[in-house]
Amino acid sequence: MAPSGLAAPVLLGGGTLAAFAILFGASLALAQVAARPAGEGAFTVLLRWAPLIFQGFLFNILISFLSMALGTLVGVLVGIAQVSLLAPVRQAAWGLTQFFRNAPWLVLLFYAMFLLPFEFRLFSLSIAFPAWVKAVIGLALPVAANVSEIVRGGIRSIPAGQWESAEALAFTRRQTMWMIILPQAFKRMIPPWMNLYAILTMATTLISVVGIQDGLTITRAALVAESRPELMIPMYTLLLLMFFAYCYPIARATMALERRFNVKV
């Protein structure tokens, strides 16, 4: 009998992990065969570089946390502004959302890296503006736009009767938004928000393009240092497994929340 419900995604995830493990093992075996006679084994080289690659991966996770936090903060405000009764506010929020939502993430990252200053001057004091902070801002821009759309959709999904009932009870629009609408919309926003975070985490490797030392940069540096082409697949697969092990549980939790909060129409 075909698997159903929770079993199917679990089997799918297990199969994907097994496929990665087989690929990793096969690439290690090939690298071992192709190793120089006097050189170290592929597995030994991977063990030596794995801690450093993992540190770079943790930096990717830190960037994803900070970008998601900043993007969520801005996105919630812009998303609420999208349903404002004031036409100028609503139109401005809509324009910002559409612009940053449909702009390439790498282009926004380049803009943040090269247009933002390298330091700020406060009277006679110079305050450095690190590249990783600019990278957080660059990634937070598209995140904020997508969060804005998530918030707008969540608010719009609440039946109009809720607004009418609150108005009949003499609630102000602000009270209705914060006390009635947003608490109900929040649970509907969680699954797409988590999905967006998983996408952002995988997109953090873009910071390697602008010269920031992340997991991908360190992996490339390790390959250059070893000068052994046969290690390319094992090393990149190792980094891939790190991202998969982190992002897959998020995807599973998102699917579970989608089922739990499924709205019956």
Side-chain angles (χ1 to χ4, degrees):
M1 185 172 61
S4 60
L6 184 61
V10 169
L11 290 176
L12 178 61
T16 305
L17 187 59
F20 279 139
I22 292 172
L23 174 63
F24 186 58
S27 60
L28 265 180
L30 290 174
Q32 197 74 33
V33 171
R36 302 167 187 165
E40 290 181 299
F43 187 70
T44 304
V45 175
L46 278 178
L47 284 180
R48 189 172 71 248
W49 284 101
L52 194 58
I53 293 175
F54 184 68
Q55 288 180 18
F57 167 72
L58 291 180
F59 185 72
N60 286 92
I61 301 304
L62 175 63
I63 294 294
S64 71
F65 277 154
L66 297 176
S67 298
M68 196 70 195
L70 180 59
T72 300
L73 178 62
V74 176
V76 168
L77 297 177
V78 177
I80 294 175
Q82 280 202 81
V83 296
S84 172
L85 295 178
L86 300 175
V89 174
R90 185 172 62 250
Q91 292 169 2
W94 180 87
L96 287 173
T97 298
Q98 296 306 314
F99 178 80
F100 288 109
R101 188 177 177 224
N102 295 287
W105 288 35
L106 185 57
V107 174
L108 293 175
L109 188 58
F110 269 109
Y111 267 99
M113 292 298 298
F114 297 117
L115 292 184
L116 293 175
F118 291 98
E119 65 177 15
F120 290 103
R121 295 194 65 85
L122 184 62
F123 302 108
S124 60
L125 181 64
S126 296
I127 303 175
F129 200 47
W132 67 269
V133 176
K134 292 192 281 187
V136 168
I137 295 174
L139 291 174
L141 292 174
V143 169
N146 282 278
V147 170
S148 170
E149 198 64 13
I150 291 172
V151 172
R152 183 202 63 81
I155 293 174
R156 293 297 190 195
S157 70
I158 303 302
Q162 297 290 318
W163 292 92
E164 296 169 357
S165 299
E167 186 178 357
L169 293 172
F171 279 82
T172 65
R173 182 175 176 83
R174 178 175 171 274
Q175 290 174 327
T176 303
M177 178 66 74
W178 291 100
M179 299 172 61
I180 299 175
I181 302 301
L182 284 179
Q184 296 182 70
F186 177 71
K187 65 180 183 180
R188 305 184 185 192
M189 300 176 192
I190 293 178
W193 183 87
M194 292 178 62
N195 186 59
L196 177 61
Y197 174 69
I199 294 173
L200 169 65
T201 301
M202 293 180 283
T204 55
T205 53
L206 292 174
I207 66 177
S208 65
V209 179
V210 292
I212 299 177
Q213 295 282 334
D214 71 326
L216 184 59
T217 306
I218 295 174
T219 303
R220 284 202 301 256
L223 288 170
V224 172
E226 294 295 332
S227 298
R228 293 172 59 177
E230 71 272 10
L231 290 175
M232 180 178 294
I233 294 179
M235 281 197 172
Y236 280 126
T237 304
L238 177 62
L239 182 62
L240 180 64
L241 284 170
M242 291 179 185
F243 275 97
F244 179 81
Y246 182 77
C247 291
Y248 181 70
I250 298 175
R252 291 290 306 116
T254 301
M255 294 170 63
L257 288 173
E258 284 176 346
R259 289 192 299 270
R260 179 179 178 181
F261 297 145
N262 184 35
V263 179
K264 301 295 189 298
V265 180

